[in-house]
Amino acid sequence: MLYHLLFPLKKHFILFNLFRYITFRSAGAATISFLSCLILGPLLIRYFKRLGAVSQIRVDVPERHNVKKGTPTMGGVLVVVSAGISTLLWADLRSWYVWLALIITVLSALLGFVDDYFKDVKRLSNGLLIKQKLIFQIALGLAVGAFLFYLSPARTYRGITETLFLKEFIIDLGILYIPFTAIVLVGTVNAINIVDGLDGLAGGLSTIVIAVFAIVAYITGRFDFSRYLNIFYLPGTGELSIFAASLVGALLGFLWYNTYPAEIFLGDTGSLALGGAISAMAILLKKEFFLVIIGGVFVIETLTVIIQIISFRLFGKRVFRIAPIHHSFELEGMPEPKIVVRFWIIGLIFALFGLGTFKMR
């Protein structure tokens, strides 16, 4: 909105020419969303306490989590609203990339909101059934895949995606690109939901991944940079940098209240929204396989759950004391803040390695 209102005024005042630059608008978007979270955070915390939207601790987590019972949840509302408003303020609203990313994020957040509302406000068992959430996520993924395959303005890249390490090799999935998109979306959304178990863990790791995508979106949207690195040049994807920067700012503001001891939790509203946003950027930037690297911690945490389930069902034995693995470290006596910070460090290493793969191609 600000881009459309102020950039045309550059002929009267040269300072408004700054709105031409994605880097300037990304910085503005991150700042506004960060400040929005800082200001609105205490208000939302008090409101959710009055509403009764407080966390009900699951039985399958370490006992030390019982002290967190009654902490306000659904904090994803704060992240999505702050990032959404900031994106609309600073992005070029003619970009279909921005609108599609916002739609996927908001729809994922709405699914999480319904689940949180039933679970933590209405106290209806554990909220939505896993089957119900999966059906919605699969339907959303298939719809996104179908749109990109049949209706996407970027027709040149229909049905194809990039590979890791190989410069000239691309994968043309054809019609299979539609279910592939659904797999990426469903997998990412649920991976982040699995990781969301310690104060600041999912929020911090998501901040790292989204910050990387802000860089990748900028590079992908520039012919000179993308040509130099021999990756897909997708005109217009630079605007996704603003979407990503808005999320980074919102998450940093949210972490102000979410780090140990948390004053508010993401809830499924936040974890599903972040999964939707991250998967949207990976899909739109043709970096689905790249996400496996920069989201390495999410992958490992999810694998521990899968291994635990398979091992218990087939052999009646558990590989880990408890899954996902961050809870195993808790049972070993490691303080929660130490676990979170160490996972952030590992996430940062994965992110740096992922960026390094652009020169290893």
Side-chain angles (χ1 to χ4, degrees), residues 7 9 79 104 164 195 208 233 272 322 324:
F7 180 57
L9 299 178
V79 175
I104 295 171
L164 295 169
V195 171
I208 294 169
Y233 166 56
L272 299 191
I322 189 173

Side-chain angles (χ1 to χ4, degrees), residues 147-211:
F147 171 81
L148 293 175
F149 190 76
Y150 291 110
L151 302 174
S152 168
R155 308 276 298 176
T156 306
Y157 296 97
R158 186 179 74 168
I160 66 174
T161 189
E162 283 187 329
T163 56
L164 295 169
F165 307 114
L166 304 175
K167 290 184 178 181
E168 307 298 334
F169 185 72
I170 62 172
I171 300 176
D172 188 349
L173 295 169
I175 194 70
L176 293 178
Y177 182 76
I178 297 175
F180 174 72
T181 299
I183 291 170
V184 173
L185 189 145
V186 174
T188 306
V189 168
N190 287 287
I192 295 177
N193 188 237
I194 286 171
V195 171
D196 185 26
L198 300 179
D199 296 353
L201 181 58
L205 290 171
S206 296
T207 302
I208 294 169
V209 172
I210 294 169

Side-chain angles (χ1 to χ4, degrees), residues 288-320:
E288 297 93 343
F289 293 107
F290 177 70
L291 175 58
V292 175
I293 293 181
I294 64 171
V297 175
F298 296 122
V299 174
I300 293 170
E301 288 264 77
T302 304
L303 285 176
T304 63
V305 173
I306 294 172
I307 292 169
Q308 188 86 321
I309 292 172
I310 293 175
S311 176
F312 186 76
R313 290 186 176 178
L314 292 181
F315 309 108
K317 296 182 179 180
R318 292 180 172 86
V319 177
F320 309 99

